[in-house]
């Protein structure tokens, strides 16, 4: 038979003390977990905002040939793999294909189809985007080849080949590979290699050209500039 034990003041105090200690331990553990989570999220946010980008841009005249745009697409994917990332998305402008960022898995065949049909291409971009991206500007690496610009004030810089990647993932060998790849698609008139913090949007600087007011980009650091001479040689 079950018999109830009498609750004495001493046992009640012991039970109360035990429950208080248990609640205190639980609160401490929860607080520590939340603190770790918050700190981790803050660090991720800080890292995401403080990323320094390396930009390599060549302005000039596109070196059109048979299979030009298809080759650019394939070489861009190959170069992104070399940087240690995976090409995930692409965007094409000027054709009947909707001008919208799409996954390569779904769009690559269609992009190549409109190119093969002879539709005029104004620009073709390839990106490596993380799963939590918001816009194409969140890319770990991107390559853009443009042969036109709708805005007259930037017409001088309407033809360019551009690569943007994370600065801390680069070395001299990779930079040379990028330069060689880009120069295979455009006859260089001007070239610039620079770094800039991601929040300042390096692509805006590229799109508007080197004549843009650099005061808009406080973190801009120009590492190298190359200009073509009339005799097809180059000066830095």
């Amino acid at each position: 038979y079950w018999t109830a034990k009498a609750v004495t003041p001493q046992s009640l105090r012991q039970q109360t003390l035990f429950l208080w200690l248990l609640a205190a331990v639980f609160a401490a553990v929860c607080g520590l977990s939340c603190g770790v989570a918050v700190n981790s999220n803050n660090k991720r946010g800080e890292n995401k905002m403080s990323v320094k980008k390396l930009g390599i841009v060549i302005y000039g005249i596109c070196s059109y040939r048979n299979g030009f745009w298809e080759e650019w697409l394939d070489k861009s994917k190959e170069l992104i793999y070399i940087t240690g990332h995976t090409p995930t998305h692409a965007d094409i402008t000027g054709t009947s294909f909707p001008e919208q960022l799409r996954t390569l898995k779904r769009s690559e065949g269609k992009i190549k189809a409109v190119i093969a049909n002879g539709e005029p291409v104004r620009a073709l971009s390839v990106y490596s985007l993380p799963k939590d991206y918001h816009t194409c500007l969140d890319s770990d690496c991107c390559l853009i080849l443009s042969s036109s610009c709708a805005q007259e004030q930037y017409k001088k810089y309407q033809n360019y080949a551009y690569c943007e990647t994370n600065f801390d993932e680069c070395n001299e060998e990779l930079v040379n590979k990028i330069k060689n790849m880009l120069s295979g698609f455009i006859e260089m008139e001007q070239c610039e290699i620079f770094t800039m913090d991601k929040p300042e949007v390096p692509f805006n600087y590229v799109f508007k050209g080197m004549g843009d007011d650099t005061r808009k980009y406080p973190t801009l650091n120009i590492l190298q500039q190359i200009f073509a001479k009339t005799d097809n040689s180059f000066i830095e």
Side-chain angles (χ1 to χ4, degrees), residues 163-190:
C163 177
E164 181 179 305
T165 190
N166 297 328
F167 176 72
D168 61 359
E169 298 172 351
C170 294
N171 54 43
E172 186 176 356
E173 181 182 1
L174 178 58
V175 170
N176 287 331
K177 284 183 178 179
I178 294 172
K179 283 171 61 179
N180 291 336
M181 184 273 198
L182 298 181
S183 61
F185 291 87
I186 195 163
E187 296 178 20
M188 190 184 78
E189 295 178 357
Q190 300 178 33

Side-chain angles (χ1 to χ4, degrees), residues 18-225:
F18 175 76
L19 291 174
W20 182 86
L21 288 173
L22 185 62
V25 170
F26 180 76
V29 170
C30 287
L32 179 62
S33 299
C34 291
V36 169
V38 169
N39 288 336
S40 177
N41 287 335
N42 286 340
K43 287 181 179 178
R44 281 198 296 267
E46 289 172 4
N47 290 338
K48 201 167 185 179
M49 291 302 293
S50 63
V51 169
K52 179 174 287 188
K53 292 292 187 176
L54 176 78
I56 302 177
V57 59
I58 298 179
Y59 299 101
I61 301 173
C62 290
S63 308
Y64 293 115
R65 53 188 176 270
N66 289 335
F68 176 79
W69 290 106
E70 294 93 336
E71 185 182 353
W72 169 260
L73 179 57
D74 292 336
K75 289 288 186 180
S76 296
K77 291 165 52 184
E78 180 182 324
L79 190 60
I80 289 176
Y81 279 121
I82 291 174
T83 67
H85 298 285
T86 300
T88 59
H89 292 72
D91 182 26
I92 188 170
T93 61
T95 70
S96 59
F97 196 65
E99 298 181 7
Q100 181 181 343
L101 191 65
R102 296 173 183 269
T103 62
L104 270 170
K105 184 176 180 180
R106 295 183 178 182
S107 65
E108 184 172 0
K110 297 175 182 178
I111 288 174
K112 288 186 173 181
V114 295
I115 294 172
N117 288 337
E119 295 190 31
V121 179
R122 291 205 307 267
L124 179 55
S125 310
V126 183
Y127 303 89
S128 175
L129 290 167
K131 291 182 179 179
D132 60 345
Y133 82 95
H134 296 288
T135 73
C136 62
L137 299 176
D138 294 325
S139 66
D140 292 309
C141 182
C142 72
L143 287 109
I144 304 170
L145 182 60
S146 172
S147 63
S148 69
C149 176
Q151 294 178 264
E152 186 64 29
Q153 65 266 40
Y154 305 131
K155 192 172 183 180
K156 179 181 177 182
Y157 301 100
Q158 64 180 328
N159 297 320
Y160 61 84
Y162 176 58
C163 177
E164 181 179 305
T165 190
N166 297 328
F167 176 72
D168 61 359
E169 298 172 351
C170 294
N171 54 43
E172 186 176 356
E173 181 182 1
L174 178 58
V175 170
N176 287 331
K177 284 183 178 179
I178 294 172
K179 283 171 61 179
N180 291 336
M181 184 273 198
L182 298 181
S183 61
F185 291 87
I186 195 163
E187 296 178 20
M188 190 184 78
E189 295 178 357
Q190 300 178 33
C191 173
E192 185 166 300
I193 302 173
F194 65 93
T195 63
M196 185 186 296
D197 287 356
K198 177 183 173 181
E200 291 177 18
V201 190
F203 178 69
N204 282 348
Y205 172 67
V206 170
F207 176 73
K208 296 176 181 179
M210 287 180 274
D212 194 31
D213 186 354
T214 56
R215 290 175 298 179
K216 299 176 183 176
Y217 312 99
T219 65
L220 171 64
N221 181 22
I222 299 173
L223 304 179
Q224 185 180 34
Q225 283 184 326

